[in-house]
Amino acid sequence: MTRTLSKFLALLFTFAMIAAACGSDSSPDDATTDTTEDGGGGDDDGGSDVTTGDVDDDDTVVEADDETERSYGGSIAVGLEAEAVGLRPWEDACSSPCYNIFVTIYDKLMEQTIDGTYEGWLAEDITPSDDFTIWTMNLRPGVTFHNGVELTAQTIADMFPIQQEGSQSSSQIAASNLAGVEATGDLEVTYTLSQPNSAFPAFLSRVQLGAVFEPAAAAADLDGFSNEPVGTGPFVIESRDLDNETVVVRNGNYWGVDPQGNQLPFLDQISFRPIPDEGTRLDALLSGTVEAMQTLRQGTIRDARAAVEDGEDLTLLEFQGNNVGGGQFNVLVPPFDDVRVRRGLTQMNSQENVIDALGGTGISLPGTQWYSPDSVWYSQKVADAWPQFDFEAGSATLQEYIDDPERSDGKAPGEPIDVELSCPPDPTLIAAMQVIEQTWSATGNVNVNLTNYDQQTHINYALGAENGFVGEHGAHCWRWSDDNDPSVGINPFLAPPTPEIAEAAGIPDIVSPLNFSNWFNAEAFGAAVAATQTDNFEERYALYEQIQLAIAEEVPIWYSGHTATMIGTVSNMQGLNGWHLPNGTVGIGFTNAEGRWAEVWLN
Amino acid sequence: MTALDAQTDSISITDDDAPAERQGSTPIERPKRATPLQVFREMPIVIKLSTIWLLLVFGGAIYAKIDTVLLNDALPLQNPNLQTNNFNPATGEFGDGEPNESWSSAHWLGTDTIARDTFARIVHGAWVSLIIAMVSAGFGVVVGGFFGSLVGFVRGRTETVTMAAMDVILAFPALILLLAMVSIFEVRSLTVIALVIGFLSIPAYTRVARAGSLAVSQREFVLAARAIGTKPMKILFREVIPNVLPTVLSYAMVAGAFVIVVEGSLSFLGLSVQLPTATWGNMINQARGNLKVNFAQVFWPSMALVLTVLSLNSVGDWLQKRAAHRGSAL
């Protein structure tokens, strides 16, 4: 009798829950708000939006508050989207969440300014030779590592052998053409490149090559350095509990000061906590469990905006960067080796609906190239050339291939093509791939097979280390570009993907496993190389425009939207927006939700 | 006729190999089998509600499949994969329907993040749950039930080896084994998923059937059958299995609830049937990134899952009690 009663109560409770759900269904219109006047986040401020309290007004540039008096002390917790697997700049793979930790422990040689140029951080200056093969850098004096060792030119030279062996640094060494590092004075370092590279300072602004670590401590314990890193940064590692918390504390001997002459940093302690689930991370901020959180997901930005609109007292630092999502075709695999297929499928891809599925409506700008409309490298000509959504035209283009007796996939004329569309198993990506699947399948000419693999498997399939770097992918979700100098990302993308292609192109020594789409266009690659041999902006702009036009013509990749990123903080946290370089120039801001925490203080 | 003979006859053993004079004995009349309606009337209110829900799920799943496969979406149930409501496959144009709509007369349970009708997806998702539950139950009952009955009856080395093998499979964490097997079979069709889950169900059914078989094999009517020289396989199929079957079948209801949850877990991890096929698990997975905007899209498939599992457990539990009651009356 008791069991029957308890089952009855369980069912009653269940039906009560249903009734409650019927009554509490909220309208999405109430929760989702476009807070940017242009409806897409585009503006003229370097891609950054600051939202505080009332979401309708503050749409500002990255700009430091130079008026308010800073206060010292206090500690904060920062929610990150993933754990940093290790803290060795030369070895451990790192993306935006872990860069937040790296910049507290390490200083980099160069940093990017709000204008996109590169200026010294630990370097005071850097000068190229006329042909951009020799770069001479002078280091800042009076800098010491956390263990008391002084930073000298020899330190940088001693780092180089370790970097050459590191999985992360070695690829950057190859990409930058760096051949040797020599201490040519107490504080003077000379970099020798095998090929000209006018964008070499950009590589010194990246953690892999630019983060300065104490080489003797690293050499003494290469593995242990991962958990006990020694840098010159504003904070010192205090403890590291993997997958739980990494704590850094104030470096009392830090060399840096802010433009007002205040000794940096202001905070006593920062605790970085990996919180992989997007909703949980935002809830942690809303509940006060953390004082800041970062995200690269439009859906989370949307929810954070809604929370602010509902009265939550938060500051949202958004950045609309160059990074653009979408997918790539493996052009070495039929039917994607035929441009008619690539162009047809791209034209049948409704960008607007894909962005909507990603939760990015009103947040993410549609992509047409590697640069967002806010970037100095953006080209309207390329935007006009990009094959926009035109279902009829795309279907007709694909039909040409379908009806071709010589079609590359070996099927009979009239038979549909087979497409494996694969994305990592993120809910928003799953939604987006189903939107694409619907339009592609609608023609009756495309059999779409949707697959999801975890992030690492997804990357490995595209890398294809086991099949000569051809890869095992067909149509593959991917991201491109960043806010660095264009050469950093695009040269590996354009270089010959296999030894055979390199041999055929007459450049047998240049093979790039990072050319994931396997698309090789000799003229585009030539333009990319030429762009590293001049520092004239107009010349370089024209070369990168030429490359982007070639991509729009041959469509080895497709775009969804530019990635909007955000750091959300409690409103009494100041100084994250508008950090400064040592010479007082305002830094680039918070690209890819990467904060610079030295100038942060609690008001 | 001895007392043992009378008891054996009362449960209608009809042994063709028995002497002719014993064939002529008058059996005690078996009580009339209750009709389904009578059984339904006997049910407590909770079991009635659960049965009604299960019939709705079953009927909905069949209805959805007939609509899709036989009638080309002619029945009044929306296409579960059609997005943005008015997507026109001929032009590729999307209509004016909105994602994350609240409930309305057009969309009883609203729409999901890419504007698909949630009610239609839940009904179609029931088909996956139904097939998974039925195939695994079928696999378990036929294979596990047979092996369990067999080894409980014959005992000896066959039992030792078989149960050791089952213990090995049982000892391995089921979900991890399932993930590994699903990963090996890269084609994630409903058949493959159902067969893999069905295979993993076999040990549990074997154990249940063996326990029943051990008990039944010691009952007087089995001993009597042995005593009169009936062939062992005939005893197994005519005396043991029919008496073990009610227990195994009622266990199948409870196990079916478990495998529906397992399939939901697989779907949630993106390892069940391929997209865009709707399953309750992948509906929950796809809606979880959208909780703050559209909680209902997690709630409804979760409710369907909870109610179905609860109902299967309740009905299975009740059937087990009925089977036990009948067994004790033998």
Side-chain angles (χ1 to χ4, degrees), chain A residues 472-532:
Chain A
E472 299 171 49
H473 54 308
H476 219 58
C477 290
W478 211 255
R479 289 180 182 279
W480 299 270
S481 193
D482 56 30
D483 294 282
N484 275 300
D485 183 88
S487 65
V488 173
I490 209 161
N491 286 40
F493 172 80
L494 294 171
T498 65
E500 295 76 22
I501 292 173
E503 187 79 38
I507 41 176
D509 297 333
I510 302 176
V511 176
S512 172
L514 302 182
N515 182 348
F516 294 107
S517 74
N518 297 318
W519 176 67
F520 179 70
N521 177 307
E523 288 180 12
F525 182 63
V529 173
T532 62

Side-chain angles (χ1 to χ4, degrees), chain A residues 44 74 206 407 420 461 472 486 529-530 572:
Chain A
D44 300 317
R206 290 169 68 88
R407 55 190 277 186
E420 179 175 337
Y461 277 0
E472 299 171 49
V529 173
N572 67 328

Side-chain angles (χ1 to χ4, degrees), chain A residues 25-28, chain B residues 85 96-104 106-107 109-112 115 118 294 296-297:
Chain A
D25 207 344
S26 62
S27 165
Chain B
N85 306 339
D96 55 3
E98 288 296 326
N100 296 315
E101 275 186 13
S102 187
W103 61 273
S104 66
H107 305 289
L109 302 181
T111 60
D112 71 2
T118 301
N294 196 349
Q297 298 312 307

Side-chain angles (χ1 to χ4, degrees), chain A residues 3 28 283 302 391 434 438, chain B residues 81 100 116 286 290 317:
Chain A
R3 291 188 66 185
D283 286 341
R302 173 200 60 201
F391 187 81
Q434 288 177 98
Q438 172 140 316
Chain B
N81 300 325
N100 296 315
R116 295 176 297 196
Q286 289 172 48
N290 221 21
D317 209 16

Side-chain angles (χ1 to χ4, degrees), chain A residues 288-304:
Chain A
T289 308
V290 298
E291 281 74 31
M293 55 80 72
Q294 48 112 231
T295 183
L296 284 81
R297 299 284 176 205
Q298 286 93 326
T300 310
I301 296 173
R302 173 200 60 201
D303 293 343

Side-chain angles (χ1 to χ4, degrees), chain B residues 116-184:
Chain B
R116 295 176 297 196
D117 185 79
T118 301
F119 178 73
R121 289 185 69 73
I122 287 179
V123 174
H124 279 266
W127 174 258
V128 174
S129 298
L130 190 72
I131 291 297
I132 297 280
M134 288 179 68
V135 170
S136 78
F139 231 70
V141 170
V142 173
V143 181
F146 172 74
F147 277 117
S149 302
L150 178 70
V151 300
F153 178 65
V154 301
R155 310 294 306 266
R157 191 172 293 172
T158 311
E159 181 189 31
T160 308
V161 172
T162 304
M163 295 317 292
M166 296 301 161
D167 286 346
V168 168
I169 299 176
L170 271 179
F172 208 89
L175 194 58
I176 293 175
L177 187 57
L178 197 56
L179 289 174
M181 293 181 76
V182 167
S183 299
I184 291 167

Side-chain angles (χ1 to χ4, degrees), chain A residues 73-111:
Chain A
S75 63
I76 61 169
V78 180
L80 302 177
E81 69 167 2
E83 177 62 292
V85 292
L87 298 177
R88 296 168 298 180
W90 68 90
E91 183 65 35
D92 297 311
C94 189
S95 59
S96 58
C98 91
Y99 286 141
N100 278 281
I101 304 177
F102 268 64
V103 293
T104 61
I105 297 166
Y106 301 106
D107 287 316
K108 292 183 283 185
L109 292 166
M110 306 292 294
E111 276 285 10

